[in-house]
Amino acid sequence: MQPEKSTQYNLGFVIEPLKDLTIGLTYYDIKWKNKIDVLDNTTVLDNEDGAYQAHVVRDAVTPDDIAAYAALSAADRARLGPLRGELANIKTGWVNRFQTHTSGVDLDASYTFRSNTLGRIKVFGEANYTLRYDTVLLADNVYINCANNTSCDAGEYGKPRLLANVGVNWDRGPWSGTGIVKYVAGTRVDRAPSTVHNQWYDFYAKGARIPAIATMDASLAYAGFKNMVVRGGANNVFNRDPAFDPASSLGYNDNWGDPRGRYVYLSLNYSFK
C-alpha cells in the first residue's frame, strides 16, 4: 500500500459589521488520493477482468461447465455473464482503493443581545453545505457520479448535503441556559433500490430517500453555590426517532441518529480550591 495523500485549500473570512454581530464564511476544497479501504469480495469479482484481475484465481472450465452453461436460457446467460471456472481463490484486504474530491462552504454567525433585565442572550448558527463529494473506486476512472452507487455524491446515502445547528445561549447572574436545534438533510439512496428496500420505502411513503431529521437539546445551569455548578437538561427534547434507514442493519444511520430518544440528565460539578 501507498500512504494516503491529500491536497486542500481553504479561503474564508470573519467580519463584525456591527457590534456583537460576527459572520464567518469559509470555502474548502479537498482531494484525497490513495485512500485506504477494505477491498470486498463483490468489488473484486465485479472487476476481475480489469483492475483486480490479479486478485482472482479460478479453476479451468470443464466440459461439464460448458454443457451446463449451454443449457441455460439466453436471459440466464446474460445475467450470469461469460462462462468462468469455479472460484479457487480471491484476495481481499486493505488496499489503496479510491480517491475523493469534496468541496463545500462553512458558515457561522452569532449576535449577542445585552439587557439589564434579561441578561446576555447570544443567538448563533452554524452550517456546512457540501457542494460536491465525488468518489471513484478505481484509479483509472474519472470523477463522476457512480451509476447505481449509494454514496458517490453530495446528497446521497451517508453524505447529507446540509448539516446545521441553530441555538441560543443565555446567562444572567448565576443562571445560564442553552437550547440548540440540530438538522441533518435527507439523502437519496440507491438509484435502483432492491425490492426489499422498495417495500420499506413504500410503507413509509418516503420514496427512495432517507428523510431529513431535526432534534433539539436544552439545558439549564445554576452556579450560585460556592465552587459548585448544578446543571439539568434534556437531549432530543421532543423525542424524535432517528430517520429510518433500511440499508442499515441497525435501522438507522448511527452517524446522524440516536435510538435512545429523549433522555434527561442532572449533573453536579464541584471544584476543590
Side-chain angles (χ1 to χ4, degrees):
M1 289 190 299
Q2 300 296 318
E4 293 186 346
K5 296 181 179 180
S6 70
T7 57
Q8 54 188 293
Y9 65 87
N10 303 314
L11 179 64
F13 63 85
V14 177
I15 61 173
E16 189 173 356
L18 302 172
K19 182 180 179 181
D20 295 326
L21 172 64
T22 60
I23 300 173
L25 181 67
T26 301
Y27 171 82
Y28 61 87
D29 187 283
I30 305 171
K31 292 182 180 179
W32 287 283
K33 294 182 179 180
N34 295 330
K35 292 187 70 174
I36 297 173
D37 191 22
V38 176
L39 189 63
D40 58 274
N41 293 338
T42 300
T43 301
V44 172
L45 293 176
D46 286 346
N47 295 276
E48 67 172 293
D49 293 327
Y52 300 127
Q53 186 174 13
H55 290 244
V56 179
V57 177
R58 291 184 178 272
D59 295 333
V61 176
T62 67
D64 288 341
D65 293 333
I66 296 173
Y69 189 79
L72 296 175
S73 67
D76 285 339
R77 288 196 296 269
R79 178 175 56 84
L80 293 175
L83 177 61
R84 305 178 189 275
E86 289 190 10
L87 184 64
N89 185 51
I90 183 170
K91 182 171 65 175
T92 59
W94 296 101
V95 294
N96 297 105
R97 184 178 177 188
F98 59 96
Q99 56 190 14
T100 297
H101 184 189
T102 184
S103 63
V105 177
D106 288 324
L107 172 67
D108 61 86
S110 67
Y111 184 74
T112 303
F113 302 88
R114 305 177 191 276
S115 167
N116 292 331
T117 303
L118 298 178
R120 186 178 67 91
I121 301 174
K122 180 179 181 180
V123 180
F124 65 90
E126 54 190 19
N128 170 256
Y129 187 83
T130 303
L131 297 172
R132 68 182 295 174
Y133 199 106
D134 295 332
T135 297
V136 292
L137 297 180
L138 302 176
D140 56 350
N141 284 354
V142 297
Y143 282 113
I144 59 173
N145 297 339
C146 311
N148 293 326
N149 192 285
T150 60
S151 54
C152 280
D153 196 10
E156 295 187 348
Y157 183 75
K159 306 291 187 300
R161 191 174 287 276
L162 176 64
L163 303 173
N165 297 329
V166 178
V168 59
N169 291 330
W170 166 78
D171 63 78
R172 182 177 184 274
W175 292 95
S176 63
T178 298
I180 183 170
V181 175
K182 302 176 181 179
Y183 174 83
V184 179
T187 53
R188 298 188 301 274
V189 294
D190 196 328
R191 297 180 180 88
S194 69
T195 302
V196 174
H197 285 194
N198 279 333
Q199 289 175 349
W200 284 110
Y201 286 122
D202 291 343
F203 180 77
Y204 281 89
K206 300 296 184 183
R209 185 176 182 84
I210 297 173
I213 183 71
T215 58
M216 179 178 179
D217 300 340
S219 66
L220 182 67
Y222 180 73
F225 304 110
K226 184 177 180 180
N227 300 334
M228 183 185 298
V229 178
V230 180
R231 184 182 304 276
N235 287 359
N236 194 358
V237 173
F238 298 106
N239 199 31
R240 295 289 308 278
D241 290 331
F244 176 69
D245 180 357
S248 168
S249 60
L250 299 173
Y252 67 95
N253 189 320
D254 57 358
N255 289 318
W256 320 115
D258 189 330
R260 292 177 293 180
R262 180 196 305 115
Y263 66 94
V264 179
Y265 61 89
L266 180 67
S267 66
L268 186 150
N269 184 290
Y270 184 84
S271 298
F272 295 92
K273 297 181 179 180

